[in-house]
Amino acid sequence: MDEYLNKGIKEIIEKFPAVEDVLNDYDIGCGPCNVGICLLKDIVAIHRLPEDQEQQLMARIAKAIRPDQDIKIPKIEKKAAAQPEEFKYSPPMKKLVDEHILIKRWIALIPEVVKNLDLESEKGRRLILDGIDMIRSYADKFHHAKEEDILFKYFDENSDILKVMHEDHTHARSLVKEMLDALEKRDPKTIAKNLMAYRELLTEHIRKEDEILYPWMDNQLSTHQVGELFSKFDEADQQISVSTDKYENFIDRLEKKFKNQEG
Ligand SMILES: [Fe+2]
Ligand SMILES: [Fe+2]
């Protein structure tokens, strides 16, 4: 079993497809994940199941790999204190997770924005411009820049997972560019299509970061690196100087507007 703990989960699932069903039973959706380079031992450590469930999961994986053998289950080392349900992020990682919250509030509003799309009025066009500004200034310049220019530099940027994260950021930028072109042409269909694509892309991207990438990174970083990251993030925030209040107000206003429409 030890040899499999250090193998990539994708490789294991390819060889032993039954492992995917076992992981699904524990709500660990590795099969559809297009990255899949996490090692089996990282997956078990990251998801922080209660001890009895972890033992049960490992026993079932062992059975799926070697149905004919009785395999001893090794204990997985966890570097931080176990928090079964919720991962305890380090302060700099928590900062990024907190920034995701505002981005998630924006993407939750996108279906309503699309439903009420009005490019003929000045007010309607302004709303789309403000939404694009939120994506470019807050999600990209303020948030993605800290990931790309600071956090990712602590890891192998040629690893598949970081390449996928970079590609997601680049893809998001190209969707924004198409939104701006479509706004100029007053083409509601293309704006709607790109906003919905952005929503889908970022929902999955943030989920991967919150649930897999950041906890994994946190486990790799030394205490010294965590402190260093925290001050580098602070420095970057001051340099970028984006008014987070402005975007919080934008989201508050929009949430109220759609809530009132419902009522
Ligand atoms: Fe990201
Ligand atoms: Fe992020």
Side-chain angles (χ1 to χ4, degrees):
M1 190 67 189
D2 277 323
E3 77 173 281
Y4 289 105
L5 285 176
N6 289 305
K7 275 205 161 58
I9 192 64
K10 207 162 193 171
E11 194 189 332
I12 296 179
I13 289 177
E14 256 163 36
K15 250 177 141 174
F16 309 101
V19 171
E20 185 177 348
D21 299 331
V22 176
L23 290 169
N24 282 339
D25 283 348
Y26 293 81
D27 228 9
I28 303 175
C30 293
C33 170
N34 55 0
V35 184
I37 49 129
C38 301
L39 306 179
L40 177 57
K41 67 171 183 196
D42 288 337
I43 285 162
V44 177
I46 284 167
H47 287 84
R48 287 161 194 279
L49 295 166
E51 193 121 342
D52 55 329
Q53 276 192 40
E54 181 184 304
Q55 283 296 306
Q56 203 186 54
L57 166 74
M58 293 305 292
R60 288 185 58 194
I61 291 179
K63 207 78 209 139
I65 291 177
R66 292 267 179 273
D68 49 334
Q69 284 175 30
D70 239 357
I71 297 164
K72 211 170 140 297
I73 311 298
K75 202 157 164 33
I76 311 285
E77 280 288 322
K78 292 187 179 78
K79 285 191 184 168
Q83 287 283 335
E85 262 90 42
E86 206 180 303
F87 187 78
K88 217 169 164 357
Y89 298 100
S90 67
M93 228 56 97
K94 173 87 170 55
K95 186 174 167 38
L96 295 179
V97 171
D98 287 346
E99 288 172 8
H100 284 163
I101 294 173
L102 196 62
I103 303 172
K104 285 196 282 187
R105 281 172 67 195
W106 163 229
I107 53 187
L109 290 165
I110 287 179
E112 280 298 312
V113 170
V114 164
K115 217 162 81 189
N116 292 278
L117 203 56
D118 163 26
L119 298 187
E120 295 312 311
S121 75
E122 174 65 35
K123 216 174 146 198
R125 287 194 297 274
R126 168 71 17 222
L127 189 141
I128 298 303
L129 266 180
D130 286 347
I132 293 176
D133 176 44
M134 157 104 198
I135 296 174
R136 291 174 106 187
S137 301
Y138 185 85
D140 204 30
K141 206 169 136 206
F142 185 69
H143 177 79
H144 291 162
K146 282 201 287 287
E147 293 175 338
E148 289 183 1
D149 301 341
I150 303 171
L151 177 65
F152 294 176
K153 303 280 180 215
Y154 283 79
F155 299 90
D156 176 8
E157 289 198 89
N158 287 317
S159 62
D160 285 355
I161 187 147
L162 287 197
K163 278 194 204 149
V164 170
M165 294 296 125
H166 272 292
E167 276 164 24
D168 283 354
H169 293 174
T170 309
H171 185 191
R173 285 169 197 138
S174 74
L175 293 174
V176 167
K177 201 182 160 296
E178 282 179 41
M179 284 178 218
L180 281 169
D181 289 346
L183 187 62
E184 204 154 296
K185 291 180 193 137
R186 306 228 174 142
D187 169 2
K189 256 194 175 161
T190 308
I191 300 237
K193 189 181 92 190
N194 284 288
L195 275 172
M196 291 304 279
Y198 179 83
R199 172 183 151 90
E200 204 178 309
L201 175 72
L202 263 282
T203 303
E204 193 49 29
H205 182 81
I206 289 175
R207 196 188 64 78
K208 274 185 228 155
E209 288 182 341
D210 283 355
E211 294 178 18
I212 310 286
L213 186 66
Y214 292 172
W216 178 80
M217 285 179 158
D218 249 345
N219 274 339
Q220 310 297 313
L221 291 166
S222 68
T223 313
H224 171 77
Q225 286 173 320
V226 166
E228 200 176 69
L229 256 183
F230 193 72
S231 59
K232 283 188 181 174
F233 280 177
D234 247 10
E235 212 179 305
D237 283 354
Q238 279 166 29
Q239 270 171 16
I240 298 167
S241 118
V242 159
S243 158
T244 50
D245 285 354
K246 176 179 156 189
Y247 298 106
E248 265 166 26
N249 288 338
F250 167 65
I251 298 298
D252 284 346
R253 265 189 287 124
L254 217 51
E255 282 172 347
K256 264 192 210 122
K257 176 183 147 101
F258 291 132
K259 213 170 176 188
N260 287 342
Q261 273 184 15
E262 265 173 34

